[in-house]
Amino acid sequence: MEIRFYNTLSHSVELFHPIDANEVRMYSCGPTVYDYAHIGNFRSFLFADLIRRFLEVSGYRVHHVMNITDVGHMTEDAVADGGGEDKMQVAMRKLKEGKKSGKAQEGAIENPDDPYQIAAYFTKAFLADAKRLGMKVAFEHPQNVLHATAYIDEMLAMIRDLIERGHAYAAQGVVYYSVESFPEYGKLSGNTLDKVQAGSGGRVSEEELATKRHPADFMLWKADPRHIMKWDSPYGQGYPGWHIECSVMARKALGDVIDIHTGGEDLIFPHHECEIAQTCGATGNDRFANFWMHARFLMVEGEKMSKSKGNFFTARDILGGKATGRAVHPAVLRFELIKSHYRANMNFTVKGLADSASAVRKLIEFRQSLDEKTGGEAATVDASHPVLKTFLEALSDDLNVSGALGVVFPWIAGDHPDPHESLAVFQEINCVLSVAPIEPFEGDAISLEGEGEELPVNDLCRQMDDARARKDWSAADTIRKTLQDAGYEVRNSPNGTVATRQLA
RNA sequence: GGCGCCGUAGCCAAGUGGCCUAAGGCAGUGGAUUGCAAAUCCACCAUCCCCGGUUCGAAUCCGGGCGGCGCCUCCA
């Protein structure tokens, strides 16, 4: 099966072949941990997860690495030489003022003046969210989820190499990458040097221009003893630039040339452009990642998500019901965020969430019916099975999820004479979708039961059965109303009434 | 101003030159079923932003409009 992906580097869909025949090396730009990750972040992370899962089902071993940016970068970092306020400092202040996207748990952070504690707290929150949403790499922390602060030495080593190779220079306590030393600079984004220069009008301060050889030169290290997080270096005590960590960690974990590098579209420039310049400058290769893949931005109800518009949602906001007024099952949020094509802006809406809930319910119930019929024993199938084949072929066309789902639903609705075989097929499909259940899952990811709720759900169902047996319709209707108002879907059947929690 | 993505039913969305008299999901409508519902099953529900061109043939290619969005500056 031929796999095709859109490559930002070439602006076209290309045939995908990993460097090694069987293993794919893939790096994804991960979160900064100054706050809770929002649904836009997760759209991008789940896009990477989807690539990984698809490649795995297609027969590849995937070594997927993601970074955690826990270095306190400056708010006006890249343009200049680190102006603005330290992000970690902002995080600390906001935490104290209770202005975070969500409340930190009481007592979770002993000392809000310690940036490492802030970072540790939000890292933990991120990993918890990521696991709930079925992001495989989150289950591989810490071996495949790397912390920037653990690679300062390697960053300094790469900076040293870049200076030695003539790609970087120190000026007034700042080490800059010299973009003119790298002719390929601008290839990824189309922001070639002449254009960067032309477009920079007014934004680059005179002070900065005086120290930089070219206005687009970007920071690798800044000596600043006042910075909260700081490390010793030959260039003075200070902190690294915000692009260098990815170059370093990707190289360290995956090698000099990798297969796939993912991120949100906003990272194309300057972040990924700079990563390429750094890595290639340090390795001497003309390539860093063979495929650069970027997810487009997520909109909320047709508008760009922003705190000021009040349409800003963290993953835990959604799961907790902030948008819908009712708790949302993680599989529903996952499905909603992966169901549309990654290269189109996705519009996140409450209605879309409800649609996804119906779809996910269908998948979960189908899975449950197969489990019941087979006792969980699946037959053996491989990718040549007609349903799987069509499913994977859709995905192999630049991750055409909609096309793939267009295979799954009609198949589900059809006849299943051999439930063992169907279960095997479904399991494979679910290795990619990971919604029925979320895999690998923790706890009650698949459960639709209302255990531990304030309502005695099972008792009410039995009471309803009794009332129906007595033909006491008004009593039965009252019970149904009670359950529905509490967020349950109620189904009567000859085998007894069943109430399941609404998914969203 | 530069670079790029996109425009298919009420909504999401596949299809990229002839099996398209256009998948699939959600919603909706009619029917079966039901005490009534829900779930389920059956049926129905679009000529593809506009204009021009290429072609025997276009949603699909080309040109021009119009509209939406992104990046170029912290951002997934």
Side-chain angles (χ1 to χ4, degrees), chain A residues 3-250:
Chain A
I3 294 175
R4 290 165 198 280
F5 289 140
Y6 182 89
N7 190 349
T8 307
L9 199 57
S10 65
H11 306 296
S12 61
V13 175
E14 291 178 32
L15 213 50
F16 174 75
H17 287 297
I19 298 161
D20 289 347
N22 295 316
E23 180 165 297
V24 176
R25 290 190 291 270
M26 167 171 169
Y27 185 91
S28 298
C29 282
T32 52
V33 283
Y34 318 122
D35 201 347
Y36 297 107
H38 56 70
I39 52 176
N41 297 132
F42 275 107
R43 147 108 149 147
S44 162
F45 302 149
L46 288 174
F47 146 67
D49 185 65
L50 196 66
I51 295 174
R52 179 218 176 126
R53 287 170 177 277
F54 161 64
L55 289 172
E56 284 178 343
V57 171
S58 299
Y60 293 105
R61 216 169 52 243
V62 180
H63 188 178
H64 185 200
V65 169
M66 174 176 267
N67 66 296
I68 299 265
T69 299
D70 54 358
V71 176
H73 291 294
M74 291 304 199
T75 51
E76 294 162 28
D77 215 17
V79 207
D81 50 359
E85 197 178 359
D86 186 314
K87 284 181 184 168
M88 205 54 91
Q89 200 151 37
V90 175
M92 292 191 226
R93 198 186 66 232
K94 286 190 176 169
L95 207 57
K96 286 185 194 165
E97 293 169 1
K99 281 187 184 166
K100 275 290 166 195
S101 301
K103 283 259 187 296
Q105 245 176 326
E106 198 68 37
I109 299 173
E110 280 177 34
N111 177 10
D113 289 321
D114 180 353
Y116 287 91
Q117 285 193 26
I118 308 259
Y121 174 79
F122 287 113
T123 298
K124 201 174 154 193
F126 166 72
L127 290 170
D129 291 348
K131 285 178 180 177
R132 290 183 80 190
L133 292 174
M135 253 174 73
K136 230 166 172 177
V137 74
F139 291 87
E140 298 165 347
H141 181 269
Q143 64 269 33
N144 288 333
V145 180
L146 311 179
H147 295 246
T149 47
Y151 290 84
I152 301 292
D153 288 347
E154 285 85 348
M155 292 185 213
L156 285 167
M158 185 176 276
I159 292 169
R160 185 198 62 219
D161 288 350
L162 287 170
I163 292 174
E164 281 176 7
R165 285 168 165 270
H167 287 296
Y169 59 96
Q172 317 237 341
V174 184
V175 182
Y176 288 110
Y177 187 98
S178 168
V179 291
E180 287 162 310
S181 74
F182 188 68
E184 296 275 271
Y185 191 83
K187 193 181 168 196
L188 181 72
S189 61
N191 290 320
T192 50
L193 287 185
D194 49 323
K195 287 173 189 158
V196 171
Q197 201 160 21
S200 69
R203 286 199 298 274
V204 182
S205 72
E206 282 182 30
E207 187 190 349
E208 204 191 326
L209 279 173
T211 54
K212 286 164 113 175
R213 292 181 189 166
H214 187 282
D217 286 356
F218 56 91
M219 188 182 109
L220 298 174
W221 188 269
K222 166 134 180 167
D224 181 0
R226 292 162 310 170
H227 200 257
I228 309 167
M229 283 180 157
K230 54 178 183 267
W231 295 266
D232 289 328
S233 89
Y235 326 103
Q237 199 176 49
Y239 61 97
W242 79 291
H243 311 299
I244 193 78
E245 63 178 69
C246 291
S247 284
V248 163
M249 292 191 284

Side-chain angles (χ1 to χ4, degrees), chain A residues 185-366:
Chain A
Y185 191 83
K187 193 181 168 196
L188 181 72
S189 61
N191 290 320
T192 50
L193 287 185
D194 49 323
K195 287 173 189 158
V196 171
Q197 201 160 21
S200 69
R203 286 199 298 274
V204 182
S205 72
E206 282 182 30
E207 187 190 349
E208 204 191 326
L209 279 173
T211 54
K212 286 164 113 175
R213 292 181 189 166
H214 187 282
D217 286 356
F218 56 91
M219 188 182 109
L220 298 174
W221 188 269
K222 166 134 180 167
D224 181 0
R226 292 162 310 170
H227 200 257
I228 309 167
M229 283 180 157
K230 54 178 183 267
W231 295 266
D232 289 328
S233 89
Y235 326 103
Q237 199 176 49
Y239 61 97
W242 79 291
H243 311 299
I244 193 78
E245 63 178 69
C246 291
S247 284
V248 163
M249 292 191 284
R251 187 184 186 188
K252 175 98 176 170
L254 300 172
D256 286 359
V257 183
I258 68 176
D259 295 300
I260 301 175
H261 195 126
T262 74
E265 61 171 324
D266 55 315
L267 294 183
I268 297 170
F269 188 89
H271 188 56
H272 288 163
E273 196 74 78
C274 295
E275 278 189 49
I276 293 172
Q278 289 165 345
T279 300
C280 293
T283 63
N285 292 322
D286 61 352
R287 297 223 130 192
F288 169 23
N290 284 333
F291 277 78
W292 288 86
M293 298 176 69
H294 296 95
R296 309 225 118 235
F297 262 64
L298 169 146
M299 319 280 286
V300 173
E301 305 288 353
E303 288 188 296
K304 187 167 177 171
M305 182 166 70
S306 74
K307 288 184 183 172
S308 59
K309 280 180 184 149
N311 63 355
F312 183 95
F313 295 110
T314 63
R316 44 188 63 199
D317 285 341
I318 299 296
L319 297 178
K322 190 174 167 194
T324 50
R326 177 155 45 222
V328 172
H329 193 291
V332 173
L333 180 55
R334 178 182 167 90
F335 188 87
E336 174 69 11
L337 291 175
I338 65 172
K339 76 179 179 187
S340 57
H341 192 82
Y342 73 93
R343 257 179 332 108
N345 285 126
M346 96 151 269
N347 189 17
F348 186 93
T349 60
V350 169
K351 182 174 186 309
L353 217 45
D355 289 358
S356 291
S358 301
V360 168
R361 173 172 291 274
K362 215 170 235 184
L363 294 169
I364 289 176
E365 287 179 349
F366 177 69

Side-chain angles (χ1 to χ4, degrees), chain A residues 353-388:
Chain A
L353 217 45
D355 289 358
S356 291
S358 301
V360 168
R361 173 172 291 274
K362 215 170 235 184
L363 294 169
I364 289 176
E365 287 179 349
F366 177 69
R367 170 63 180 263
Q368 285 177 335
S369 79
L370 288 180
D371 281 341
E372 280 162 24
K373 283 179 199 154
T374 60
E377 281 187 37
T380 307
V381 294
D382 61 29
S384 67
H385 186 282
V387 172
L388 267 182

